[in-house]
Amino acid sequence: MFTPLDCGWGRQRLPIFSAHLLLGSMFFAASVSVAAEPLVGEPISPLPSLESLQLDPKKIKLGERLFQDTRFSKDNSTACISCHSLSKGGADGRKNSIGVRQQVGVINAPSIFNSGMNFRQFWDGRSDSLEDQVDKVVHDARELDMNWGDLLTILSTDAALVAEFKAVYPQEGLQATSIQNALASYQRSLLTPSRFDRYLLGDAKALEEDELKGYQLFKDYGCVACHQGVNIGGNMFQKFGVMDDYFAKRGGVSTADLGRFNVTQQEADKHVFKVPSLRNVALTAPYFHDGMTDTLDAAVDVMFRHQLGRTASATDKRLIVKFLTSLSGETTEVKP
Amino acid sequence: MKRILRRLLLVLVSVGLIAILWALVQKTQSIDTTAIQQVNSQLRELKQVDATWNLDILRSKMGINKNYDQVTTPLQWLQKNQPALMAAVNQADASGIKQAADELRAAINDKINLVDRFKMQNALLKNSLRFLPTAVGQLRDQIVAVTLSDASIGINNTGQTATPNAFSSNLTKLEATANEMLTELLKYNLAPDEAIKTRVEGLLDNLAAQPSTSYPEQIQAQVDMIVNHARTVLKQKESEDQVLASIEQVPITARIDQLAAQFEQSFEAALKEKEQWRIALIAYSAGLLLLLALAMLAVWRSYRSLDQANAFLEQRVAERTRDLSAALANLRESQLQLIQSEKMASLGQMVAGIAHEINTPLAYVKGGLEILSARMEDVDALVNETSGLMNLMTEEPAGDEASHEQQLAEQFATVQEISSAFVETEAISEINGLLDDGLHGIGQIAEIVSNLKDFSRLDRAKVAEFNVNEGIESTLKIARNIVKHRRIEQQLGAVPLIMCSPSQINQVLLNLINNACQATTEETGVVTIVTRPTEQGLAIEVKDNGQGIHPDHLSQIFDPFFTTKKVGEGTGLGLSIVQRIVKEHGGKITVDSVLGVGTCFTVELPREYQAHREQELSELNQGGIT
């Protein structure tokens, strides 16, 4: 068996993302592209540069402020950042998150990082935009338990914030829609380019040999069938336990376990979840929607058994896990 | 108030009319074709997106697309473009559009769900398809390994129920079945066919069937895995094909066309409506113009009536002016009549005085003549007796001488008696005296008449050179009846002759002297008349030592009809006329009066008579003493 890899480095090197650091990441892609030709025909694509998203820095900044604002919760206890800590891989490291009034959530908090690259939001994909996701989190009784009327009443007493909104959103000012957009803009800016992205962009030395082997195995075993695309997942749904029933084995099926069924009410959507992005996966334990799996190794095991319906050698799994650690975001030097 | 309300109403109506016009203009504003163009371009784009989507789905199916990012891009497009499209739909007030949009949205959602399903199936299918050859290969390897080891073991291990040959033949069969199944499955994957599927299912059943002698555990697990994956392929392939067929059937293009047609229809309807509004606008404008024309006509009419009213007014003014002129003329006439009556009053007074003056000499002329007439009997007798004597003396006595002598003596005595009576009574001197008196009286009367003539100057031109001092003399004579009981002091200076209307100036003098006399008493009254030359001509002062004029009355004394005399004694016009005459002569009259001391009227007259006053003067004279 292999010991958990040096996952620690990722956490240490994970940037405390802020607007000015993000600017650094915008230059990241450019600096690499000079080095070599990007790889073609790979099922995974590198993250786009932040620049190419053409986001408004002022909206990002405003969203960043709101992201940390506890006034968004009914009891002034919880902010977005409470469950999506930038220092914890964009999640909170908990099995289930703690929301307003210390309530325990029903599902594992997904990472906020690269969430703009997901085709839908939430495990069950009930939001098709980050804006809508903000709306749902604000209203969720276990998460923030707020409503726009109260929130706007509270925030409108903050003259500085109102003025800033008026400046950034001249037509709307401080409104539910502008708050949603600011938060969504901030989230879209939270991209975490990794060494693997550098590899995809042509930097052959960006990955260690084992990681490269792991990537090959990742593709060979078929992990990549679902974890593909720019976000290494996050662009499709899949049934959890397709080759072997996960829930029968685990037991205690909750409503949250029904996944997409809760949205569509279709039998075929039972236990169907959004395939999560594997970016920063090494930093976002515990795993799966139920947070029942504590380590990446165990998570890989679960996947082999229930999704791939195959077995793999411990070495192969170790290499795959090694590859997965290369997906953690890294920073480059901040350019002035 | 009513007028304000009317104006307010007018303003409101005007505003209303303009508002209607504005609304109509708004209604006929050219339709914003950019909106429909935008919608059309969006729908065209959506069609393109859908076509690309289909292509990407196929690419994913065929493994050309290495990931599903391409298949999710339509979601991003929708996220970006749906709000604008929905806004256009909501703005278009047409149920057809809304329905078509709803149907399109439903179709898109169907397709999204189907694509999501496709991705799920495709991923699984791909993995299983990809894994199965490997798995079958692994099975082969395992079988080879087991067969080899079993062969070596089998010699030693005779307790085995099956012969090594049978065991190995089972495994060989298993391998063959697995291989066949894989071939058929791959065939089925390439060309799904029920017959192949049945065959694959049969083979899978064979594989899954528990053999008479159980496989080694590892091989059984591998077989299970292969069956599992093969069944997954069958299931997912079938579902994928169904999903793809369903995706193909999602009528997105038709729905887009339907929505576009609805938009087109509503656009055309809007155009048509706009055309109707345009016609309405034209009609309304025409109506407004008509109204405007009517209003202008009304204005023009009112102006015209105003003009007429003006003309009428002018006419009225002219009439009034005429009336006023007539009234003025009447007034003047009555004024003249008043003046005339005052003159007549003065004249009456004068006539009374003159009659009195004439009466006295007339009385004693008459008395003298009566005495003379009585004396004439004596003269007549004397003449007759003397004549008889003469006859006696000269005629031959016809008889008796004595008698004749006698007669002669007698006659002589008679004549002597009468003659001595004459001498004794100084009859002749008395007669002479009477005649003298008579002549004197007549002389007096003649003088009065002459004075009257002088006073009124009836024999002179209306305006003539006049000696005021003479005027005063004649006036005093005329007014003798009035002035005879007052002491008249004359201090007449060397005044120049002036050009004036003598009769009027005399009237002035008479009036002033008359007033002065009336203001004084008989015993103590002194009236002083002064004349003196001035720079322009002369000044006449008529002073009295009467009771004076009360200061309250001083300002009124020249007013017509103002009098302090008893009713019937004065008309109140005297001084008014005096002032008028003086003013018309270009002169002025002033009065000084001290209560209890006396009054002094001063008349100043210019030497030259102002020609322009001639007319007024003549008017004045029309009612004058003529």
Side-chain angles (χ1 to χ4, degrees):
Chain A
M1 297 302 291
F2 68 95
T3 51
L5 284 170
D6 48 344
C7 295
W9 65 264
R11 186 161 298 186
Q12 281 159 12
R13 291 172 74 178
L14 187 83
I16 304 302
F17 287 93
S18 61
H20 69 277
L21 281 171
L22 285 161
L23 287 173
S25 63
M26 290 202 299
F27 293 100
F28 170 76
S31 66
V32 173
S33 66
V34 178
E37 286 297 306
L39 302 186
V40 287
E42 293 297 326
I44 300 173
S45 321
L47 279 175
S49 67
L50 184 59
E51 202 177 22
S52 70
L53 298 184
Q54 294 182 315
L55 298 170
D56 183 346
K58 285 180 287 185
K59 291 180 181 173
I60 295 173
K61 195 131 194 236
L62 203 50
E64 185 186 13
R65 253 176 75 178
L66 299 177
F67 198 75
Q68 298 160 19
D69 199 328
T70 55
R71 286 177 292 188
F72 274 69
S73 61
K74 197 83 175 179
D75 60 355
N76 206 23
S77 67
T78 315
C80 305
I81 203 166
S82 305
C83 299
H84 300 284
S85 167
L86 301 192
S87 61
K88 291 177 181 170
D92 57 1
R94 293 171 174 278
K95 177 173 168 288
N96 294 107
S97 301
I98 307 295
V100 66
R101 294 185 293 271
Q102 298 299 306
Q103 291 179 97
V104 179
V106 295
I107 210 157
N108 182 256
S111 172
I112 200 77
F113 287 130
N114 311 299
S115 54
M117 294 286 131
N118 289 337
F119 83 136
R120 288 166 189 277
Q121 305 302 330
F122 297 111
W123 280 100
D124 55 12
R126 62 181 181 272
S127 283
D128 47 17
S129 70
L130 282 169
E131 278 86 348
D132 185 58
Q133 175 260 340
V134 169
D135 180 69
K136 289 196 161 77
V137 171
V138 165
H139 285 98
D140 193 295
R142 286 173 184 273
E143 296 181 29
L144 297 173
D145 194 22
M146 245 302 166
N147 61 73
W148 291 117
D150 289 352
L151 182 59
L152 287 173
T153 308
I154 292 164
L155 294 184
S156 60
T157 60
D158 185 342
L161 189 71
V162 170
E164 207 166 325
F165 262 96
K166 193 71 202 161
V168 178
Y169 296 92
Q171 290 188 340
E172 301 169 79
L174 181 70
Q175 287 294 333
T177 48
S178 52
I179 290 171
Q180 283 169 268
N181 183 259
L183 279 166
S185 298
Y186 173 60
Q187 291 178 63
R188 284 189 193 102
S189 77
L190 296 176
L191 300 179
T192 65
S194 63
R195 284 189 293 119
F196 182 63
D197 287 294
R198 278 200 276 145
Y199 167 76
L200 291 174
L201 288 166
D203 183 0
K205 290 175 186 162
L207 293 188
E208 292 165 25
E209 211 186 315
D210 281 355
E211 289 166 348
L212 257 178
K213 281 181 188 164
Y215 176 44
Q216 194 55 51
L217 292 168
F218 186 80
K219 291 195 278 188
D220 290 346
Y221 277 111
C223 310
V224 84
C226 292
H227 293 284
Q228 35 64 51
V230 67
N231 229 10
I232 322 173
N235 64 358
M236 65 182 289
F237 294 111
Q238 191 53 276
K239 185 173 178 174
F240 193 19
V242 69
M243 300 305 284
D244 191 10
D245 195 332
Y246 174 81
F247 296 97
K249 200 179 165 209
R250 195 202 70 186
V253 177
S254 70
T255 307
D257 289 331
L258 295 176
R260 182 112 182 110
F261 174 82
N262 294 326
V263 182
T264 65
Q265 304 298 318
Q266 286 187 13
E267 197 61 30
D269 283 329
K270 266 189 182 165
H271 308 308
V272 168
F273 295 90
K274 183 182 71 183
V275 173
S277 165
L278 291 184
R279 291 185 175 276
N280 302 305
V281 70
L283 311 173
T284 55
Y287 298 105
F288 305 121
H289 73 280
D290 53 9
M292 293 287 272
T293 308
D294 292 330
T295 66
L296 199 48
D297 298 352
V300 170
D301 280 339
V302 168
M303 284 290 104
F304 264 100
R305 181 186 178 119
H306 296 285
Q307 298 306 105
L308 293 173
R310 358 184 355 179
T311 54
S313 68
T315 314
D316 284 356
K317 287 187 202 165
R318 186 182 62 84
L319 289 170
I320 287 171
V321 168
K322 193 107 171 69
F323 159 68
L324 292 178
T325 59
S326 78
L327 300 177
S328 299
E330 57 169 7
T331 54
T332 53
E333 289 300 308
V334 177
K335 299 205 174 178
Chain B
M1 196 65 195
K2 212 168 174 183
R3 214 170 126 185
I4 290 170
L5 278 175
R6 244 183 83 176
R7 280 195 178 174
L8 199 70
L9 194 71
L10 196 69
V11 167
L12 281 176
V13 166
S14 306
V15 166
L17 287 174
I18 290 166
I20 290 168
L21 186 67
W22 188 81
L24 280 173
V25 167
Q26 286 299 308
K27 286 270 185 195
T28 49
Q29 287 287 305
S30 60
I31 294 175
D32 187 12
T33 50
T34 58
I36 179 94
Q37 277 167 4
Q38 209 176 336
V39 164
N40 276 335
S41 95
Q42 270 190 322
L43 290 178
R44 264 201 308 278
E45 213 181 314
L46 179 58
K47 237 178 187 174
Q48 189 60 46
V49 165
D50 184 53
T52 313
W53 203 7
N54 288 338
L55 209 60
D56 277 320
I57 291 163
L58 281 178
R59 279 191 181 131
S60 291
K61 175 188 164 1
M62 292 164 78
I64 300 167
N65 275 350
K66 298 290 183 188
N67 60 44
Y68 300 119
D69 280 352
Q70 290 301 316
V71 181
T72 60
T73 48
L75 295 184
Q76 288 159 25
W77 187 91
L78 284 172
Q79 212 177 313
K80 212 170 123 190
N81 292 282
Q82 208 170 1
L85 202 54
M86 284 318 294
V89 167
N90 289 330
Q91 207 173 2
D93 191 25
S95 57
I97 288 177
K98 284 196 171 70
Q99 199 189 332
D102 286 344
E103 284 174 7
L104 174 59
R105 198 162 38 184
I108 289 172
N109 284 337
D110 281 352
K111 186 151 178 172
I112 287 169
N113 289 333
L114 287 168
V115 170
D116 281 344
R117 196 132 294 155
F118 161 75
K119 285 186 284 186
M120 286 164 65
Q121 290 156 354
N122 184 251
L124 297 174
L125 181 63
K126 254 195 315 203
N127 266 357
S128 293
L129 272 174
R130 190 188 160 96
F131 175 55
L132 273 172
T134 314
V136 171
Q138 280 170 349
L139 180 68
R140 192 167 50 229
D141 292 348
Q142 282 167 356
I143 288 169
V144 168
V146 165
T147 315
L148 285 177
S149 64
D150 273 5
S152 57
I153 291 161
I155 297 159
N156 303 324
N157 188 0
T158 49
Q160 196 112 24
T161 47
T163 61
N165 273 350
F167 178 71
S168 88
S169 93
N170 267 351
L171 287 177
T172 311
K173 227 171 109 187
L174 175 69
E175 190 195 332
T177 311
N179 274 332
E180 194 189 348
M181 187 279 297
L182 179 64
T183 312
E184 290 299 313
L185 190 65
L186 291 176
K187 231 192 268 176
Y188 175 74
N189 181 53
L190 285 172
D193 184 276
E194 272 308 306
I196 304 174
K197 192 189 170 190
T198 316
R199 207 149 51 225
V200 172
E201 277 169 347
L203 289 166
L204 281 175
D205 288 343
N206 277 351
L207 281 175
Q210 286 294 319
S212 48
T213 50
S214 59
Y215 301 128
E217 193 186 325
Q218 197 190 0
I219 287 173
Q220 184 60 54
Q222 188 72 12
V223 168
D224 288 347
M225 196 153 67
I226 287 167
V227 171
N228 196 4
H229 277 277
R231 290 223 159 105
T232 302
V233 167
L234 275 184
K235 187 182 154 203
Q236 299 301 338
K237 177 64 187 169
E238 196 178 8
S239 334
E240 190 190 81
D241 285 348
Q242 281 172 2
V243 163
L244 284 172
S246 302
I247 286 173
E248 227 170 290
Q249 278 165 15
V250 174
I252 289 196
T253 308
R255 294 282 179 264
I256 290 172
D257 289 343
Q258 187 185 331
L259 183 58
Q262 285 291 343
F263 267 111
E264 194 66 33
Q265 206 175 320
S266 118
F267 180 67
E268 267 166 24
L271 275 181
K272 212 169 177 182
E273 193 194 330
K274 209 121 286 196
E275 185 57 30
Q276 282 166 351
W277 280 117
R278 216 168 62 82
I279 290 164
L281 176 65
I282 289 166
Y284 185 75
S285 303
L288 268 191
L289 278 175
L290 199 68
L291 204 66
L292 208 63
L294 284 174
M296 281 173 74
L297 191 70
V299 167
W300 178 72
R301 270 191 185 161
S302 73
Y303 267 105
R304 212 179 56 165
S305 67
L306 202 65
D307 271 354
Q308 283 172 345
N310 273 347
F312 179 66
L313 208 62
E314 269 168 31
Q315 198 184 335
R316 285 285 299 275
V317 167
E319 276 172 19
R320 278 290 158 87
T321 309
R322 262 203 306 282
D323 289 351
L324 282 172
S325 301
L328 189 64
N330 282 342
L331 196 66
R332 269 199 189 152
E333 203 175 317
S334 43
Q335 203 175 13
L336 289 173
Q337 277 171 0
L338 274 171
I339 292 164
Q340 176 69 4
S341 66
E342 169 65 15
K343 274 183 181 168
M344 292 311 287
S346 303
L347 197 64
Q349 223 168 13
M350 228 161 61
V351 166
I354 287 163
H356 182 79
E357 286 304 309
I358 288 174
N359 204 32
T360 309
L362 203 61
Y364 67 76
V365 167
K366 187 189 170 192
L369 285 178
E370 278 170 354
I371 295 165
L372 270 180
S373 178
R375 284 300 180 207
M376 280 311 285
E377 285 176 26
D378 292 338
V379 173
D380 192 36
L382 183 63
V383 170
N384 282 337
E385 291 305 323
T386 307
S387 168
L389 183 64
M390 293 302 279
N391 282 338
L392 282 176
M393 279 188 332
T394 60
E395 79 180 57
E396 290 291 322
D400 180 342
E401 220 125 318
S403 66
H404 178 66
E405 277 294 322
Q406 180 113 43
Q407 269 183 329
L408 203 58
E410 275 176 17
Q411 190 70 28
F412 192 78
T414 309
V415 168
Q416 200 174 20
E417 188 188 353
I418 294 167
S419 174
S420 62
F422 263 91
V423 173
E424 270 169 34
T425 58
E426 293 174 34
I428 292 301
S429 76
E430 191 193 357
I431 287 168
N432 279 336
L434 283 170
L435 284 173
D436 281 349
D437 283 352
L439 282 171
H440 177 73
I442 286 164
Q444 267 189 319
I445 289 166
E447 194 190 336
I448 286 165
V449 170
S450 164
N451 279 339
L452 198 57
K453 229 163 91 181
D454 279 352
F455 179 79
S456 60
R457 292 286 177 139
L458 298 178
D459 54 342
R460 299 274 182 91
K462 277 163 190 166
V463 178
E465 212 165 49
F466 181 60
N467 186 334
V468 172
N469 288 348
E470 284 177 9
I472 289 166
E473 286 294 331
S474 71
T475 302
L476 282 172
K477 279 175 186 156
I478 286 296
R480 188 187 299 164
N481 190 37
I482 307 162
V483 302
K484 61 185 171 193
H485 301 297
R486 307 287 188 282
R487 190 148 64 82
I488 303 294
E489 286 187 3
Q490 298 185 53
Q491 300 167 9
L492 306 179
V495 294
L497 298 177
I498 58 164
M499 288 300 289
C500 66
S501 168
S503 66
Q504 288 187 350
I505 296 303
N506 280 342
Q507 194 180 341
V508 168
L509 292 170
L510 177 63
N511 205 304
L512 292 178
I513 290 164
N514 188 22
N515 281 350
C517 291
Q518 284 177 349
T520 54
T521 53
E522 282 188 16
E523 292 78 19
T524 60
V526 179
V527 174
T528 311
I529 300 165
V530 180
T531 59
R532 53 186 166 82
T534 62
E535 236 171 85
Q536 280 83 29
L538 57 83
I540 307 159
E541 290 171 16
V542 181
K543 283 189 265 191
D544 66 62
N545 58 348
Q547 74 266 37
I549 301 167
H550 196 278
D552 291 348
H553 297 154
L554 260 183
S555 59
Q556 292 171 286
I557 53 168
F558 293 111
D559 292 349
F561 309 111
F562 176 79
T563 180
T564 53
K565 294 173 187 166
K566 282 175 193 161
V567 179
E569 279 188 12
T571 58
L573 279 170
L575 278 176
S576 170
I577 289 166
V578 163
Q579 190 188 37
R580 187 168 164 195
I581 291 168
V582 171
K583 275 188 178 172
E584 278 166 1
H585 278 80
K588 64 178 184 181
I589 179 164
T590 52
V591 60
D592 284 311
S593 182
V594 180
L595 218 54
V597 175
T599 305
C600 174
F601 282 91
T602 305
V603 174
E604 288 178 68
L605 291 170
R607 197 175 291 121
E608 296 302 322
Y609 175 73
Q610 268 90 356
H612 69 272
R613 305 225 174 250
E614 190 101 22
Q615 176 67 28
E616 289 176 34
L617 213 57
S618 73
E619 271 179 27
L620 201 66
N621 276 334
Q622 276 171 10
I625 307 158
T626 47

